[in-house]
PDB file of all heavy atoms in Angstrom:
ATOM      1  N   GLY A 102      78.328 131.137 127.285  1.00 93.00           N
ATOM      2  CA  GLY A 102      78.727 132.215 128.141  1.00 93.00           C
ATOM      3  C   GLY A 102      79.582 133.278 127.432  1.00 93.00           C
ATOM      4  O   GLY A 102      79.446 134.464 127.732  1.00 93.00           O
ATOM      5  N   PHE A 135      69.806 135.514 130.704  1.00 98.00           N
ATOM      6  CA  PHE A 135      68.897 134.343 130.680  1.00 98.00           C
ATOM      7  C   PHE A 135      69.420 133.259 131.587  1.00 98.00           C
ATOM      8  O   PHE A 135      70.146 132.276 131.296  1.00 98.00           O
ATOM      9  CB  PHE A 135      68.918 133.780 129.210  1.00 98.00           C
ATOM     10  CG  PHE A 135      68.163 134.626 128.205  1.00 98.00           C
ATOM     11  CD1 PHE A 135      68.911 135.726 127.621  1.00 98.00           C
ATOM     12  CD2 PHE A 135      66.936 134.417 127.898  1.00 98.00           C
ATOM     13  CE1 PHE A 135      68.211 136.510 126.655  1.00 98.00           C
ATOM     14  CE2 PHE A 135      66.291 135.227 126.972  1.00 98.00           C
ATOM     15  CZ  PHE A 135      66.950 136.304 126.335  1.00 98.00           C
ATOM     16  N   PRO A 136      69.021 133.365 132.928  1.00 97.00           N
ATOM     17  CA  PRO A 136      69.338 132.425 133.844  1.00 97.00           C
ATOM     18  C   PRO A 136      68.397 131.182 133.842  1.00 97.00           C
ATOM     19  O   PRO A 136      67.570 131.042 132.882  1.00 97.00           O
ATOM     20  CB  PRO A 136      69.194 133.095 135.189  1.00 97.00           C
ATOM     21  CG  PRO A 136      68.079 134.102 134.936  1.00 97.00           C
ATOM     22  CD  PRO A 136      68.298 134.441 133.461  1.00 97.00           C
ATOM     23  N   THR A 137      68.486 130.258 134.764  1.00 96.00           N
ATOM     24  CA  THR A 137      67.744 129.007 134.784  1.00 96.00           C
ATOM     25  C   THR A 137      66.302 129.215 134.953  1.00 96.00           C
ATOM     26  O   THR A 137      65.480 128.527 134.375  1.00 96.00           O
ATOM     27  CB  THR A 137      68.298 128.057 135.805  1.00 96.00           C
ATOM     28  OG1 THR A 137      68.297 128.639 137.041  1.00 96.00           O
ATOM     29  CG2 THR A 137      69.681 127.612 135.445  1.00 96.00           C
ATOM     30  N   GLY A 138      65.989 130.113 135.994  1.00 96.00           N
ATOM     31  CA  GLY A 138      64.537 130.227 136.346  1.00 96.00           C
ATOM     32  C   GLY A 138      64.329 131.457 137.134  1.00 96.00           C
ATOM     33  O   GLY A 138      65.307 132.235 137.372  1.00 96.00           O
ATOM     34  N   MET A 141      66.916 132.122 140.055  1.00 97.00           N
ATOM     35  CA  MET A 141      68.203 132.750 139.894  1.00 97.00           C
ATOM     36  C   MET A 141      68.065 134.085 139.140  1.00 97.00           C
ATOM     37  O   MET A 141      68.860 135.006 139.250  1.00 97.00           O
ATOM     38  CB  MET A 141      69.077 131.812 138.892  1.00 97.00           C
ATOM     39  CG  MET A 141      69.370 130.502 139.667  1.00 97.00           C
ATOM     40  SD  MET A 141      70.171 130.779 141.322  1.00 97.00           S
ATOM     41  CE  MET A 141      71.608 131.733 141.005  1.00 97.00           C
ATOM     42  N   THR A 145      69.890 137.258 140.661  1.00 98.00           N
ATOM     43  CA  THR A 145      70.707 138.197 139.801  1.00 98.00           C
ATOM     44  C   THR A 145      70.248 139.621 140.009  1.00 98.00           C
ATOM     45  O   THR A 145      71.099 140.488 140.104  1.00 98.00           O
ATOM     46  CB  THR A 145      70.541 137.664 138.372  1.00 98.00           C
ATOM     47  OG1 THR A 145      70.915 136.371 138.129  1.00 98.00           O
ATOM     48  CG2 THR A 145      71.332 138.685 137.461  1.00 98.00           C
ATOM     49  N   MET A 314      77.659 140.549 138.389  1.00 97.00           N
ATOM     50  CA  MET A 314      77.737 139.271 137.752  1.00 97.00           C
ATOM     51  C   MET A 314      79.071 138.895 137.183  1.00 97.00           C
ATOM     52  O   MET A 314      79.484 137.667 137.022  1.00 97.00           O
ATOM     53  CB  MET A 314      76.608 139.029 136.741  1.00 97.00           C
ATOM     54  CG  MET A 314      75.221 139.082 137.303  1.00 97.00           C
ATOM     55  SD  MET A 314      74.872 137.551 138.319  1.00 97.00           S
ATOM     56  CE  MET A 314      74.733 138.336 139.987  1.00 97.00           C
ATOM     57  N   TRP A 316      83.221 138.548 135.969  1.00 91.00           N
ATOM     58  CA  TRP A 316      84.506 138.185 136.576  1.00 91.00           C
ATOM     59  C   TRP A 316      85.445 138.220 135.458  1.00 91.00           C
ATOM     60  O   TRP A 316      85.161 138.132 134.202  1.00 91.00           O
ATOM     61  CB  TRP A 316      84.426 136.824 137.267  1.00 91.00           C
ATOM     62  CG  TRP A 316      83.844 135.751 136.457  1.00 91.00           C
ATOM     63  CD1 TRP A 316      82.531 135.372 136.310  1.00 91.00           C
ATOM     64  CD2 TRP A 316      84.550 134.876 135.575  1.00 91.00           C
ATOM     65  NE1 TRP A 316      82.368 134.336 135.497  1.00 91.00           N
ATOM     66  CE2 TRP A 316      83.564 133.964 134.957  1.00 91.00           C
ATOM     67  CE3 TRP A 316      85.937 134.703 135.258  1.00 91.00           C
ATOM     68  CZ2 TRP A 316      83.845 133.015 134.053  1.00 91.00           C
ATOM     69  CZ3 TRP A 316      86.225 133.707 134.273  1.00 91.00           C
ATOM     70  CH2 TRP A 316      85.265 132.897 133.707  1.00 91.00           C
ATOM     71  N   PRO A 329      77.401 136.911 127.115  1.00 95.00           N
ATOM     72  CA  PRO A 329      76.276 136.589 127.967  1.00 95.00           C
ATOM     73  C   PRO A 329      76.572 136.212 129.463  1.00 95.00           C
ATOM     74  O   PRO A 329      75.795 136.527 130.338  1.00 95.00           O
ATOM     75  CB  PRO A 329      75.631 135.352 127.312  1.00 95.00           C
ATOM     76  CG  PRO A 329      75.923 135.522 125.858  1.00 95.00           C
ATOM     77  CD  PRO A 329      77.334 136.114 125.901  1.00 95.00           C
ATOM     78  N   TYR A 330      77.793 135.760 129.699  1.00 95.00           N
ATOM     79  CA  TYR A 330      78.116 135.370 131.099  1.00 95.00           C
ATOM     80  C   TYR A 330      78.216 136.483 132.013  1.00 95.00           C
ATOM     81  O   TYR A 330      78.106 136.346 133.272  1.00 95.00           O
ATOM     82  CB  TYR A 330      79.496 134.504 131.085  1.00 95.00           C
ATOM     83  CG  TYR A 330      80.663 135.481 131.263  1.00 95.00           C
ATOM     84  CD1 TYR A 330      81.274 135.691 132.549  1.00 95.00           C
ATOM     85  CD2 TYR A 330      81.338 136.017 130.159  1.00 95.00           C
ATOM     86  CE1 TYR A 330      82.409 136.474 132.663  1.00 95.00           C
ATOM     87  CE2 TYR A 330      82.430 136.809 130.353  1.00 95.00           C
ATOM     88  CZ  TYR A 330      83.011 137.010 131.557  1.00 95.00           C
ATOM     89  OH  TYR A 330      84.147 137.776 131.760  1.00 95.00           O
ATOM     90  N   ARG A 331      78.324 137.693 131.501  1.00 96.00           N
ATOM     91  CA  ARG A 331      78.432 138.890 132.416  1.00 96.00           C
ATOM     92  C   ARG A 331      77.097 139.378 132.957  1.00 96.00           C
ATOM     93  O   ARG A 331      77.054 140.243 133.738  1.00 96.00           O
ATOM     94  CB  ARG A 331      79.002 140.041 131.582  1.00 96.00           C
ATOM     95  CG  ARG A 331      80.444 139.821 131.078  1.00 96.00           C
ATOM     96  CD  ARG A 331      81.026 141.097 130.432  1.00 96.00           C
ATOM     97  NE  ARG A 331      82.367 140.807 129.940  1.00 96.00           N
ATOM     98  CZ  ARG A 331      83.491 140.906 130.672  1.00 96.00           C
ATOM     99  NH1 ARG A 331      83.394 141.134 131.962  1.00 96.00           N
ATOM    100  NH2 ARG A 331      84.680 140.669 130.242  1.00 96.00           N
ATOM    101  N   VAL A 333      74.616 136.866 134.116  1.00 97.00           N
ATOM    102  CA  VAL A 333      73.922 135.705 134.871  1.00 97.00           C
ATOM    103  C   VAL A 333      75.019 135.102 135.815  1.00 97.00           C
ATOM    104  O   VAL A 333      76.162 135.330 135.522  1.00 97.00           O
ATOM    105  CB  VAL A 333      73.328 134.705 133.869  1.00 97.00           C
ATOM    106  CG1 VAL A 333      72.218 135.149 133.163  1.00 97.00           C
ATOM    107  CG2 VAL A 333      74.357 134.150 132.992  1.00 97.00           C
ATOM    108  N   PRO A 334      74.573 134.365 136.740  1.00 95.00           N
ATOM    109  CA  PRO A 334      75.566 133.732 137.717  1.00 95.00           C
ATOM    110  C   PRO A 334      76.443 132.684 137.069  1.00 95.00           C
ATOM    111  O   PRO A 334      77.517 132.442 137.557  1.00 95.00           O
ATOM    112  CB  PRO A 334      74.641 133.116 138.785  1.00 95.00           C
ATOM    113  CG  PRO A 334      73.301 133.833 138.711  1.00 95.00           C
ATOM    114  CD  PRO A 334      73.162 134.107 137.232  1.00 95.00           C
ATOM    115  N   GLU A 335      75.911 131.980 136.047  1.00 92.00           N
ATOM    116  CA  GLU A 335      76.643 130.886 135.493  1.00 92.00           C
ATOM    117  C   GLU A 335      77.634 131.315 134.373  1.00 92.00           C
ATOM    118  O   GLU A 335      77.329 132.134 133.581  1.00 92.00           O
ATOM    119  CB  GLU A 335      75.658 129.820 134.864  1.00 92.00           C
ATOM    120  CG  GLU A 335      74.517 129.489 135.695  1.00 92.00           C
ATOM    121  CD  GLU A 335      73.303 130.201 135.238  1.00 92.00           C
ATOM    122  OE1 GLU A 335      73.346 131.293 134.730  1.00 92.00           O
ATOM    123  OE2 GLU A 335      72.171 129.611 135.397  1.00 92.00           O
ATOM    124  N   ALA A 336      78.801 130.667 134.452  1.00 89.00           N
ATOM    125  CA  ALA A 336      79.712 130.935 133.304  1.00 89.00           C
ATOM    126  C   ALA A 336      79.581 129.777 132.294  1.00 89.00           C
ATOM    127  O   ALA A 336      79.398 130.065 131.102  1.00 89.00           O
ATOM    128  CB  ALA A 336      81.209 130.874 133.784  1.00 89.00           C
ATOM    129  N   SER A 337      79.590 128.543 132.772  1.00 89.00           N
ATOM    130  CA  SER A 337      79.312 127.398 131.871  1.00 89.00           C
ATOM    131  C   SER A 337      77.786 127.207 131.784  1.00 89.00           C
ATOM    132  O   SER A 337      77.143 126.855 132.842  1.00 89.00           O
ATOM    133  CB  SER A 337      79.952 126.133 132.433  1.00 89.00           C
ATOM    134  OG  SER A 337      81.339 126.307 132.474  1.00 89.00           O
ATOM    135  N   ARG A 338      77.236 127.419 130.638  1.00 89.00           N
ATOM    136  CA  ARG A 338      75.787 127.396 130.566  1.00 89.00           C
ATOM    137  C   ARG A 338      75.355 127.021 129.218  1.00 89.00           C
ATOM    138  O   ARG A 338      76.083 127.228 128.159  1.00 89.00           O
ATOM    139  CB  ARG A 338      75.174 128.752 130.976  1.00 89.00           C
ATOM    140  CG  ARG A 338      75.800 129.961 130.248  1.00 89.00           C
ATOM    141  CD  ARG A 338      75.129 131.225 130.689  1.00 89.00           C
ATOM    142  NE  ARG A 338      73.745 131.302 130.349  1.00 89.00           N
ATOM    143  CZ  ARG A 338      73.373 131.868 129.290  1.00 89.00           C
ATOM    144  NH1 ARG A 338      74.185 132.488 128.446  1.00 89.00           N
ATOM    145  NH2 ARG A 338      72.090 131.933 128.922  1.00 89.00           N
ATOM    146  N   ARG A 341      70.319 129.006 126.040  1.00 96.00           N
ATOM    147  CA  ARG A 341      68.918 129.086 126.199  1.00 96.00           C
ATOM    148  C   ARG A 341      68.276 130.046 125.215  1.00 96.00           C
ATOM    149  O   ARG A 341      67.059 129.962 124.995  1.00 96.00           O
ATOM    150  CB  ARG A 341      68.609 129.582 127.674  1.00 96.00           C
ATOM    151  CG  ARG A 341      69.217 128.727 128.774  1.00 96.00           C
ATOM    152  CD  ARG A 341      68.792 129.072 130.167  1.00 96.00           C
ATOM    153  NE  ARG A 341      69.385 128.271 131.097  1.00 96.00           N
ATOM    154  CZ  ARG A 341      70.490 128.616 131.821  1.00 96.00           C
ATOM    155  NH1 ARG A 341      71.005 129.831 131.679  1.00 96.00           N
ATOM    156  NH2 ARG A 341      71.088 127.740 132.649  1.00 96.00           N
TER     157      ARG A 341
END
Side-chain angles (χ1 to χ4, degrees):
F135 290 84
T137 56
M141 294 312 294
T145 301
M314 291 292 111
W316 51 272
Y330 89 94
R331 296 187 181 277
V333 291
E335 314 102 328
S337 300
R338 49 180 296 264
R341 301 186 186 101

